[in-house]
Amino acid sequence: MKWASYHNHTTFSDGAEAPRDFLAFAEAAGVGHLGFADHYYKASPEATTAPDWALQLDAVEIYFDTIAELKATAPATLEIVTGLEFDWLDHSAAWLAPVAADPRLDYTIGSVHFVGSDSIDLTRTYWEKLSTDEINAVTRRYWKTVCEMVSSQCFDIAGHLDLVKKFDFYPTEDMSDVIAETLDAIADTHMTVELNTAGWRKDCRACYPTEAILRECLRRDIPVTLSSDAHQAHLVAADFDRGADLLARVGYTHIAQFRQRERFLVPLVR
Ligand SMILES: [Zn+2]
Ligand SMILES: [Zn+2]
């Protein structure tokens, strides 16, 4: 099986290299399906600019054109697919849904990086300043926000499902009710979860989501992709062997792939 790698960031958002620079690394790493998912952030329906770490709103057409050109010129052994990683903000479905429905997208990733106006994955300092009660409240609200993102039905893949643990701060309260509610919503809306290997490279030293949550996903028949959240081309399939081993141990036999918003399952064999 050749890998599918869908969660990659380029210079169109906060990645280090251009889309074209991923090709050689993807081929060397055994990737047969390469997708780009630069950050799409739009703060409000009226917003005309995006922060510098996101795709500029006036560059969306260039983004699609650049990837379309790669699709047309990539070697036959490497299929290029087009995605975006959408930043879910409270009540943002109204203005994100039309963008997420663009027919040029092969798949969409919905991600929560903000709880209210707080960026939860930017700095460790943010977490260090929180009391135990606040960590409980932020974590609970994070999961509620993910659940709202899922329920919007705008997106195909739930990005780094438990990103809230990135800096290794954990709630003292049991969150299993709100996690179960989120996973039930993912199953009900036929979304896919990604095993995102970037967590192994962060303070938490654990992939997103944890093995326990992956087991709960499998119990609900939620399909998975493998992704590395690469911001550098050489990380396009980072820790995929480790991720595939974990998926197999959990009991997954197939992996999800996407083309033109259609999901299909491929046997997880190497
Ligand atoms: Zn993300
Ligand atoms: Zn990302």
Side-chain angles (χ1 to χ4, degrees):
M1 181 191 88
K2 283 205 154 196
W3 302 121
S5 174
Y6 290 152
H7 192 149
N8 299 301
H9 296 280
T10 75
T11 44
F12 277 102
S13 64
D14 58 351
E17 288 123 321
R20 181 170 296 281
D21 298 328
F22 278 72
L23 267 58
F25 289 101
E27 288 213 284
V31 172
H33 229 226
L34 173 65
F36 299 98
D38 274 304
H39 291 284
Y40 185 91
Y41 178 98
K42 190 171 181 180
S44 70
E46 297 80 28
T48 54
T49 59
D52 58 3
W53 50 264
L55 176 62
Q56 293 308 295
L57 299 177
D58 60 5
V60 174
E61 293 302 311
I62 306 170
Y63 177 73
F64 282 133
D65 289 349
T66 302
I67 297 173
E69 194 186 322
L70 266 195
K71 276 190 197 202
T73 56
T77 49
L78 184 60
E79 182 175 348
I80 307 292
V81 282
T82 312
L84 281 172
E85 180 184 16
F86 286 86
D87 247 279
W88 175 259
L89 306 169
D90 290 339
H91 316 298
S92 57
W95 64 92
L96 294 184
V99 185
D102 192 301
R104 290 170 291 186
L105 288 165
D106 289 291
Y107 62 93
T108 56
I109 300 173
S111 292
V112 172
H113 305 104
F114 291 89
V115 170
S117 57
D118 293 355
S119 169
I120 54 111
D121 73 327
L122 195 59
T123 66
R124 188 180 176 81
T125 317
Y126 168 77
W127 288 93
E128 286 170 346
K129 288 179 178 163
L130 297 182
S131 67
T132 303
D133 284 351
E134 287 167 336
I135 289 171
N136 286 331
V138 169
T139 305
R140 180 164 288 279
R141 192 167 165 200
Y142 169 83
W143 281 104
K144 287 276 180 200
T145 309
V146 174
C147 197
E148 285 163 17
M149 179 277 289
V150 170
S151 302
S152 77
Q153 299 194 49
C154 291
F155 315 109
D156 301 304
I157 301 169
H160 42 59
L161 198 54
D162 59 354
L163 177 71
V164 68
K165 72 181 180 196
K166 176 177 173 177
F167 291 105
D168 218 22
F169 288 81
Y170 298 93
T172 54
E173 277 177 11
D174 181 17
M175 296 289 153
S176 51
D177 58 339
V178 70
I179 294 173
E181 190 186 333
T182 304
L183 298 182
D184 287 345
I186 289 172
D188 288 347
T189 57
H190 305 291
M191 263 184 110
T192 300
V193 161
E194 60 173 11
L195 191 173
N196 184 319
T197 64
W200 276 317
R201 311 192 290 272
K202 308 298 182 190
D203 290 1
C204 60
R205 298 271 166 214
C207 62
Y208 311 121
T210 59
E211 182 170 339
I213 292 177
L214 283 171
R215 289 185 186 281
E216 287 298 306
C217 289
L218 180 64
R219 208 163 63 78
R220 290 167 173 82
D221 278 331
I222 297 170
V224 287
T225 60
L226 252 180
S227 72
S228 113
D229 217 334
H231 288 71
Q232 293 169 283
H234 73 93
L235 295 174
V236 66
D239 286 322
F240 273 25
D241 279 313
R242 187 179 178 185
D245 286 346
L246 172 56
L247 288 176
R249 189 165 75 239
V250 165
Y252 274 98
T253 57
H254 289 72
I255 203 133
Q257 296 191 2
F258 289 86
R259 185 182 295 120
Q260 294 178 339
R261 306 306 289 269
E262 291 286 334
R263 179 174 72 192
F264 49 102
L265 298 177
V266 175
L268 179 62
V269 287
R270 282 171 291 151

